[in-house]
Amino acid sequence: MRYLVTGGAGFIGSNFIRFLFKKYGDDASVVNLDKLTYAGIRENLAEYEGKKNYRFVHGDIAKPEDVAEAYKGVDGSGVDVVVNFAAESHVDRSIDDAAEFVETDVRGVLVLLEHARRAKLSLRRFVQISTDEVYGSIEDGSFTETDPLQPRNPYSASKAGGDRMAYAYAQTYGMPVIVTRASNNFGPYQYPEKLIPLFVTNALDDQSLPLYGDGKNIRDWLFVDDHCAAIDFLIEHGTNSEVYNIGGGNERENREITHKILELLNKPASLIKQVGDRQGHDRRYSLDTRKLEAAGFKCDTNFDAALEKTVQWYIDHEPWWRAIKERSAEYRAFYEKQYANR
Ligand code: NAD
Ligand code: DAU
């Protein structure tokens, strides 16, 4: 199969490309189209550079000429499947400035879809990677795929725009679109601005862990390998025009995750620093995953084992995260000040 993966230099995209090569070997060819924003790290996939079935295209999904180049595939013969991971992905950054979020997470999706339509490409699948955040927050129960979308922050509002644009191309033009809405991922190569890698790397450095608000917000944690396997499953067995929730089934309060990380690293609870709350902070995310299970896929990774494995990965890959943290020191200082003042 010939894949076009966008955002493949980021966290989930790089894990997905590695997953494809491990599972399909030379039967898969992958073009990785990535803009290399602050979150894109080309070296994440250094092991595949120079291989005949992998091609990195440095470009922007919102630029038609970059998109046209990537759709050519690794050898000019085109692609069968598009998986669009490319996005601005961090909620705190969207609260500070949403413009890039709209540009990439809405307009970028349009440009990717529109190229396929105008060029009359016969794709097998176009997978739009959406998020559980598009539903908004839920106190009790779980969201099903037919629940209304009520995004509550600029990131999730732009993701909802991309999600519905992809759906519209399925309905209007018959494009073979599948939309996936996954819960909070964790695992190797996650940028250390997100809760788990930020707290693990801060704790390793004996720096404080800035827990927002009362620390009782709930997220449903999904190990990135399960997410990759679910996407691969849906490419093979999903139904076009359908939306699928992908949840890990591991709902935890943030404070529980925080204590677990400290325990695994044998660090004191005194490192926890309760800071002001995120503006519009969603209280709880929860997904009903019966549709995906009925199709034949269930996430089955043990959460505690996966968290331990993830923490170990950060211990073993200090140069990787330290370089990023040094580059982003100014950004962190800015956010620390903002949260301290709330
Ligand atoms: P990430 O921030 O780690 O990576 C995003 C990647 O997209 C980076 O490599 C970046 O350079 C690239 N990118 C950004 N703008 C681009 C553009 N205009 N053109 C091309 N490339 C661009 O993000 P992630 O956590 O790996 O998330 C990947 C996708 O999964 C996103 O669409 C996100 O909304 C979705 N998602 C993430 C989670 C999660 O918990 N991380 C959960 C559900 C859904
Ligand atoms: O639910 C899926 C979404 O999960 C994805 O669509 C997003 O791309 C991804 O960033 C993630 O969004 P969250 O806002 O849930 O993730 P984040 O890691 O930023 O925060 C997780 C929880 O931890 C949230 O309740 C806020 C809290 N938090 C986060 C940070 C960074 C803290 O308490 N302190 C922090 O420093």
Side-chain angles (χ1 to χ4, degrees):
M1 193 91 78
R2 300 168 302 171
Y3 298 85
L4 165 55
V5 176
T6 70
F11 164 46
I12 309 173
S14 63
N15 276 283
F16 183 68
I17 292 174
R18 195 170 295 105
F19 173 96
L20 289 177
F21 284 138
K22 277 194 183 148
K23 180 163 178 186
Y24 299 111
D26 286 344
D27 291 338
S29 75
V30 180
V31 172
N32 174 6
L33 170 63
D34 199 295
K35 187 179 173 183
L36 298 180
T37 66
Y38 77 94
I41 299 156
R42 185 171 173 174
E43 296 71 36
N44 285 351
L45 293 170
E47 70 217 84
Y48 303 113
E49 297 270 358
K51 294 225 165 28
K52 66 175 187 333
N53 54 341
Y54 176 71
R55 178 178 169 219
F56 180 79
V57 175
H58 184 193
D60 185 340
I61 62 163
K63 287 201 174 138
E65 61 277 21
D66 294 351
V67 164
E69 184 58 37
Y71 266 107
K72 288 179 184 165
V74 292
D75 56 4
S77 71
V79 298
D80 307 301
V81 172
V82 179
V83 186
N84 180 31
F85 292 99
E88 287 295 334
S89 71
H90 195 45
V91 174
D92 287 323
R93 289 181 189 255
S94 79
I95 293 168
D96 182 47
D97 184 354
E100 274 304 308
F101 288 75
V102 176
E103 182 64 12
T104 292
D105 302 9
V106 186
R107 214 174 72 78
V109 181
L110 171 68
V111 172
L112 279 174
L113 291 160
E114 188 58 6
H115 177 87
R117 180 176 87 86
R118 283 185 188 261
K120 297 189 169 56
L121 301 183
S122 54
L123 295 176
R124 264 193 70 179
R125 295 279 194 212
F126 184 108
V127 184
Q128 171 58 20
I129 306 295
S130 185
T131 168
D132 63 355
E133 292 204 17
V134 296
Y135 295 115
S137 189
I138 190 165
E139 285 291 326
D140 303 300
S142 302
F143 287 118
T144 65
E145 287 84 352
T146 50
D147 280 328
L149 304 190
Q150 292 185 310
R152 300 181 64 254
N153 61 61
Y155 160 72
S156 50
S158 8
K159 288 296 292 184
D163 174 317
R164 291 298 81 191
M165 188 61 79
Y167 185 77
Y169 268 64
Q171 298 303 316
T172 309
Y173 307 112
M175 276 193 48
V177 168
I178 283 179
V179 175
T180 62
R181 297 183 185 143
S183 61
N184 282 65
N185 282 223
F186 69 106
Y189 296 100
Q190 188 168 27
Y191 196 88
E193 66 184 350
K194 307 281 163 55
L195 179 78
I196 290 180
L198 177 71
F199 281 16
V200 171
T201 56
N202 278 14
L204 284 169
D205 276 349
D206 294 309
Q207 285 177 358
S208 61
L209 315 189
L211 190 59
Y212 298 166
D214 63 6
K216 292 185 190 168
N217 299 67
I218 293 175
R219 297 293 181 265
D220 169 13
W221 294 96
L222 170 66
F223 190 50
V224 67
D225 287 0
D226 276 344
H227 190 186
C228 294
I231 296 164
D232 175 58
F233 173 85
L234 287 170
I235 289 169
E236 284 303 314
H237 305 290
T239 301
N240 288 338
S241 296
E242 292 293 325
V243 177
Y244 294 90
N245 288 342
I246 307 175
N250 303 300
E251 288 186 35
R252 303 282 190 280
E253 288 187 351
N254 292 337
R255 58 183 182 171
E256 187 186 338
I257 299 284
T258 308
H259 283 287
K260 201 117 224 158
I261 289 169
L262 290 171
E263 257 170 52
L264 285 168
L265 292 171
N266 202 18
K267 297 283 183 180
S270 57
L271 284 181
I272 300 172
K273 182 176 168 196
Q274 283 199 267
V275 297
D277 211 351
R278 176 182 275 176
Q279 287 169 276
H281 197 173
D282 286 337
R283 192 62 169 171
R284 174 171 173 260
Y285 298 142
S286 181
L287 291 176
D288 183 322
T289 56
R290 281 177 294 179
K291 185 171 174 180
L292 180 62
E293 282 159 31
F297 186 90
K298 191 165 169 42
C299 298
D300 58 2
T301 297
N302 174 277
F303 174 74
D304 288 334
L307 183 63
E308 200 174 332
K309 191 168 151 186
T310 301
V311 168
Q312 191 59 49
W313 188 88
Y314 284 91
I315 294 171
D316 295 340
H317 292 78
E318 182 183 333
W320 182 87
W321 57 261
R322 194 166 292 291
I324 293 173
K325 285 189 110 168
E326 277 167 14
R327 279 203 300 275
S328 57
E330 207 177 309
Y331 157 81
R332 275 256 42 97
F334 169 75
Y335 278 93
E336 271 163 29
K337 210 162 140 199
Q338 282 210 334
Y339 275 96
N341 291 336
R342 272 190 197 137

